[in-house]
Amino acid sequence: MVDGNQTRQRAKARSGILLDGYRPVAGVADEMVDEAGNPRPVWRDFIAALEDLGPEQLAQRFARADRYLRDAGVYYRFYDKVATKEREWPLAHIPLLIGEDEWAGISAGLIQRADLLEAIVADIYGDNRLVAQGLLPPGLVASTPEYLRPVAGVKPAGGHFLHICAFELGRGPGGQWWVLGDRTQAPSGAGFALENRVATTRALSDIYGDMHVHRLAGFFRRFRDALIGMVGDRDGRAAILTPGPLNETYFEHAYIARYLGIMLLEGEDLTVSGGRLMVRTVSGLKPVGVLWRRLDAAFADPLELNPDSRIGTPGLTEAVRNGSVAMVNALGSGIVETRALLAFLPGISQALRGENLLLPNIATWWCGQDGERRHVVENLDRMMVGPALSARLAFEDDDATMLGAALGPEARQQLLAKLAANGGDFVGQEAVTLSTTPVFIDGRLEPRPATLRVHLARTADGWVVMPGGFARVGDTLDAKAIAMQRGGQAADVWVVSSRPVERDTLLPAERDGFVRSVPGSLPSRAAENLTWLGRYIERSEDMVRVLRAYHVRLAETSDPALPLLADIRDYLEPFGIDVEAAVPAGLIANIDSAVYSAGQVRDRFSPDGWLALRDLSKTVHQFAATVAPGDDATRAMTVLLRKLAGFSGLLHENMYRFTGWRFLEIGRRLERAIQIARTLARLTPDDAPDGSLDMMLEIGDSVMTHRRQYNARSVRRTVVDLLALDPLNPRSVLFQLERLKAEIDLLPGRGVPGHLSPAAKEILRLHTTLAIRDPAEMTPDALDTLAWDIGGLYETLAKTYFG
């Protein structure tokens, strides 16, 4: 029996406002509608649901998704001729829908291809039978920059060269999927696919809930288990190697590390000792058994690979050669990304496996062979001609790839001359005509070209395919606009089933047992950044408190020449704080430094903490452009103080008490002790301007406490006693030293067993010396010396743990 409501929905979908005027591009396949403009089966209910919401509500929902991405700090770094910049993640809000049956065919083809690429890489760095049998030209292999001679003959410790791959797919006019490119070097996009899914389902949660969409979490759970399994019983740990925060996809590296609970490292965090790869931690050198490489292989080792690399680890190749570390993916595996290799894959598949490719790649001819070069020349008008050794997709590489049909007579002759003289430098590929998928623009759906990136991961049971992926969608109808560096967008991919699907997660089943793991070792670089984050936040709070006290008095007197105000200006000037600006550049720079330090350890930050810090940074920059001195600045400083307190509270209440938290806390306590001692030295001399003691109590947030404790007006001895020597006042110097002593005593021991570490000895000396003092002894000179000595404690910690 036909469901009348469903029939009405489908009729509405065919004639609704979203589809009104939607016209597929002539001669181009469209993912959503057929040639008659009717929604394809997998899209019908989805489009009907969109129509029910209407353009206005959809715009509101999509704005909600964009807001989530901004709040989560999802970004993509792009490069221009001037500098690198962060671009907010460009979500294309309409997901690409693919039916489960069609996805099964895609998956089978990609698993076959991943096995083939594994065999090719193993042969190139092993027996070289493909070259010996004429299936691969030796000159092509030898000239490819990704062929790394230092690892020739090296068998990977994990038994495989490839562990995670990505494939760029496009659908042609006839509906057939084609492989446009293989990604084996350090494939990106998996983490962004997760964020795309979260953001899209935020906007379309009801539609997503009603459709049987395959989940992504199971893919990551199985790959995480595979990485941990590769470590096995060996003394080691799994880690992700990133080029660092300036990399275009660094957000993804940090996100995946946090999502999977795996250590994120940079090249400087690692060293090779005794032939083993080790990570520098606050507990000393610790072995790394599995390294998921997210940087190009040539940059991984400046000693044996690229000597210009500043992001690698000297000796890493030797550790790989020794088999002490399993690399994901193996060094040198990027060779199969080479564009010219696509020309040989069909023949290699037949020779090695006796199979045609289930998913053919885009037709490619390497011009280093006479017959293939003649074919390219004779069919130039339907060819894209570009560099043979490039790993980029042809339509992305518009600076180097030429469309034959678009060449003028002179350019055409120049290209033909190059092909004749240096044919091996070029490949010809059939011009790409990509299918289109809908995007939401100004309340309507419009077609845009799209490619699909699908990820595969190796597990103990073989390859597993991410059920969905990462679609890149053009900003215009020009296929070149798909590239993220050229303004392209990213869309979620829904693999839709006709029946309910398993609700997979990263969590173990209730029936499974568990072991509470001890938090992993903390890399020294991460510890240093956490310490400085604590210091920058506390330093910012001190600046804000001093500035608020200054502007309160300026608003009351309107006389900047008042001795106390002049004294505060002189005090702040050496620290780069110019109070002529209501929000000084020095304060902004300090908060920016806190953001930078936090950005270095994004994998160790909760989304809430990062959101609070970004909000603080945004607010201080806004105030710099709008706030005036005096009462306006006083209110602005109060707002900043609340936001600083909110961020500190999140860290204090939400962070697990592992070693990283201790270094963050040490940084906060160090800086608060230094600032309180330094400010006391300035505002408590006998000849200090009138009102200095009251200002000191206000800066130290101890006005009410002073009234209760001393029942008298403020005098130097009571102020110094409360803010320097009171062990119960959370703003006093002694309180900070007690907290420092407690946290330093819990740090990993780096001294002689049975003896105090240098840092523990120093904090014990400082604490004991201050605890036996009385207020009369705490002269301004003594307070300045105390601030200097506490600063020296940081140097001791740095030598012990950060070196």
Side-chain angles (χ1 to χ4, degrees), residues 72-399:
V74 185
Y75 70 88
Y76 182 85
R77 190 176 297 279
F78 71 97
Y79 311 99
D80 59 23
K81 295 180 180 179
V82 178
T84 65
K85 302 174 183 177
E86 289 183 7
R87 175 191 179 195
E88 289 184 358
W89 187 246
L91 179 68
H93 305 96
I94 304 295
L96 174 62
L97 273 56
I98 299 177
E100 184 180 55
D101 292 342
E102 184 176 18
W103 190 258
I106 292 173
S107 299
L110 294 182
I111 289 173
Q112 178 204 46
R113 193 176 187 91
D115 283 334
L116 179 63
L117 296 183
E118 169 73 26
I120 291 172
V121 177
D123 182 80
I124 288 174
Y125 290 102
D127 297 334
N128 270 308
R129 290 175 298 166
L130 296 177
V131 170
Q133 296 171 12
L135 295 170
L136 272 179
L140 176 61
V141 174
S143 61
T144 302
E146 291 305 323
Y147 177 65
L148 304 182
R149 287 176 175 81
V151 293
V154 176
K155 293 184 178 180
H160 296 283
F161 288 84
L162 303 179
H163 304 86
I164 186 162
C165 306
F167 299 95
E168 204 80 30
L169 307 182
R171 193 197 294 272
Q176 168 73 46
W177 286 101
W178 299 83
V179 177
L180 306 176
D182 304 303
R183 296 287 173 258
T184 57
Q185 175 72 267
S188 63
F192 289 125
L194 274 172
E195 284 288 26
N196 286 346
R197 175 62 55 89
V198 174
T200 302
T201 53
R202 287 281 180 101
L204 304 173
S205 57
D206 46 354
I207 302 175
Y208 179 80
D210 290 340
M211 300 182 71
H212 305 310
V213 181
H214 284 269
R215 273 41 175 192
L216 303 180
F219 171 84
F220 290 96
R221 175 176 52 79
R222 295 176 69 181
F223 186 49
R224 179 198 60 190
D225 292 347
L227 291 177
I228 295 172
M230 289 172 65
V231 176
D233 296 330
R234 293 182 296 170
D235 179 22
R237 54 202 31 80
I240 298 174
L241 176 62
T242 175
L246 294 181
N247 183 259
E248 61 188 16
T249 57
Y250 176 74
F251 169 84
E252 179 186 53
H253 305 166
Y255 180 83
I256 287 289
R258 186 169 63 243
Y259 186 73
L260 299 183
I262 294 177
M263 188 183 299
L264 184 67
L265 303 176
E266 295 181 31
E268 65 182 277
D269 295 325
L270 296 164
T271 187
V272 176
S273 177
R276 297 197 67 182
L277 185 66
M278 314 290 280
V279 56
R280 296 182 175 95
T281 79
V282 296
S283 302
L285 296 179
K286 300 295 181 181
V288 175
V290 177
L291 193 63
W292 181 0
R293 176 176 58 82
R294 296 303 303 268
L295 53 77
D296 289 355
F299 292 95
D301 184 353
L303 192 63
E304 293 197 57
L305 301 174
N306 185 343
D308 296 326
S309 173
R310 296 295 180 268
I311 56 176
T313 304
L316 178 58
T317 307
E318 181 62 23
V320 170
R321 192 179 291 121
N322 292 339
S324 66
V325 60
M327 187 71 71
V328 178
N329 289 331
L331 296 177
S333 57
I335 191 170
V336 290
E337 292 190 357
T338 304
R339 195 184 297 177
L341 193 66
L342 293 172
F344 303 95
L345 289 186
I348 294 174
S349 180
Q350 276 290 341
L352 292 187
R353 305 173 63 90
E355 300 172 345
N356 291 325
L357 294 174
L358 298 177
L359 274 183
N361 48 249
I362 180 174
T364 304
W365 295 267
W366 180 51
C367 297
Q369 297 167 302
D370 293 339
E372 283 72 10
R373 183 171 59 252
R374 282 196 302 272
H375 178 81
V376 170
V377 170
E378 291 168 0
N379 297 275
L380 193 58
D381 285 343
R382 60 184 184 88
M383 291 283 178
M384 298 178 293
V385 180
L389 304 183
S390 173
R392 301 183 67 183
L393 302 186
F395 58 83
E396 292 180 341
D397 204 6
D398 59 354
D399 294 333

Side-chain angles (χ1 to χ4, degrees), residues 412-428:
R412 188 183 186 92
Q413 287 304 315
Q414 290 176 351
L415 176 58
L416 291 174
K418 290 178 181 178
L419 289 173
N422 301 293
D425 294 341
F426 297 92
V427 292

Side-chain angles (χ1 to χ4, degrees), residues 615-691:
D615 181 56
L616 171 65
S617 176
K618 180 181 178 181
T619 301
V620 76
H621 281 275
Q622 288 176 340
F623 283 170
T626 59
V627 170
D631 190 56
D632 199 19
T634 300
R635 288 194 298 270
M637 293 303 126
T638 300
V639 171
L640 291 177
L641 196 59
R642 286 202 307 266
K643 290 181 180 280
L644 281 160
F647 176 69
S648 296
L650 272 172
L651 298 183
H652 187 78
E653 294 299 325
N654 292 354
M655 281 187 74
Y656 191 85
R657 279 0 183 213
F658 70 131
T659 309
W661 180 86
R662 300 196 190 288
F663 278 99
L664 181 70
E665 181 72 356
I666 285 169
R668 290 181 61 227
R669 299 301 176 181
L670 268 172
E671 193 65 32
R672 183 176 293 184
I674 292 170
Q675 297 301 334
I676 290 293
R678 187 180 285 155
T679 312
L680 273 170
R682 183 73 182 203
L683 292 178
T684 60
D686 293 334
D687 59 350
D690 288 343

Side-chain angles (χ1 to χ4, degrees), residues 370-675:
D370 293 339
E372 283 72 10
R373 183 171 59 252
R374 282 196 302 272
H375 178 81
V376 170
V377 170
E378 291 168 0
N379 297 275
L380 193 58
D381 285 343
R382 60 184 184 88
M383 291 283 178
M384 298 178 293
V385 180
L389 304 183
S390 173
R392 301 183 67 183
L393 302 186
F395 58 83
E396 292 180 341
D397 204 6
D398 59 354
D399 294 333
T401 299
M402 295 156 279
L403 182 62
L407 296 176
E410 184 177 351
R412 188 183 186 92
Q413 287 304 315
Q414 290 176 351
L415 176 58
L416 291 174
K418 290 178 181 178
L419 289 173
N422 301 293
D425 294 341
F426 297 92
V427 292
Q429 294 182 299
E430 284 190 352
V432 174
T433 302
L434 297 174
S435 65
T436 55
T437 194
V439 296
F440 186 78
I441 300 176
D442 297 330
R444 295 182 183 275
L445 298 180
E446 295 187 12
R448 291 292 184 268
T451 62
L452 171 64
R453 180 172 295 184
V454 185
H455 290 79
L456 278 70
R458 187 184 295 281
T459 71
D461 300 321
W463 291 105
V464 59
V465 181
M466 181 191 292
F470 172 79
R472 295 191 297 163
V473 184
D475 188 44
T476 69
L477 286 173
D478 184 357
K480 295 175 183 176
I482 285 177
M484 302 295 286
Q485 294 287 344
R486 293 182 174 86
Q489 299 174 290
D492 191 11
V493 178
W494 291 6
V495 176
V496 181
S497 175
S498 60
R499 54 192 179 278
V501 298
E502 184 179 357
R503 301 180 67 88
D504 219 341
T505 73
L506 279 183
L507 301 175
E510 266 310 312
R511 63 181 180 274
D512 294 342
F514 70 91
V515 176
R516 178 185 292 164
S517 300
V518 177
S521 300
L522 181 69
S524 297
R525 180 184 55 83
E528 185 175 16
N529 278 292
L530 287 166
T531 303
W532 274 105
L533 173 60
R535 294 195 66 173
Y536 284 131
I537 288 298
E538 196 62 39
R539 189 178 297 176
S540 297
E541 181 177 334
D542 178 76
M543 289 180 184
V544 168
R545 289 184 179 278
V546 173
L547 288 168
R548 185 173 67 168
Y550 175 90
H551 285 288
V552 164
R553 287 154 180 79
L554 181 64
E556 291 172 348
T557 65
S558 299
D559 182 11
L562 192 74
L564 177 57
L565 298 185
D567 190 55
I568 289 298
R569 286 197 298 274
D570 291 342
Y571 171 61
L572 293 175
E573 184 179 5
F575 304 110
I577 305 297
D578 179 7
V579 296
E580 296 298 323
V583 181
L587 174 60
I588 297 172
N590 204 70
I591 291 177
D592 285 345
S593 294
V595 174
Y596 175 82
S597 293
Q600 301 292 308
V601 286
R602 278 294 301 272
D603 59 308
R604 297 176 181 274
F605 251 81
S606 72
D608 286 340
W610 182 251
L611 173 59
L613 188 57
R614 292 282 294 224
D615 181 56
L616 171 65
S617 176
K618 180 181 178 181
T619 301
V620 76
H621 281 275
Q622 288 176 340
F623 283 170
T626 59
V627 170
D631 190 56
D632 199 19
T634 300
R635 288 194 298 270
M637 293 303 126
T638 300
V639 171
L640 291 177
L641 196 59
R642 286 202 307 266
K643 290 181 180 280
L644 281 160
F647 176 69
S648 296
L650 272 172
L651 298 183
H652 187 78
E653 294 299 325
N654 292 354
M655 281 187 74
Y656 191 85
R657 279 0 183 213
F658 70 131
T659 309
W661 180 86
R662 300 196 190 288
F663 278 99
L664 181 70
E665 181 72 356
I666 285 169
R668 290 181 61 227
R669 299 301 176 181
L670 268 172
E671 193 65 32
R672 183 176 293 184
I674 292 170
Q675 297 301 334

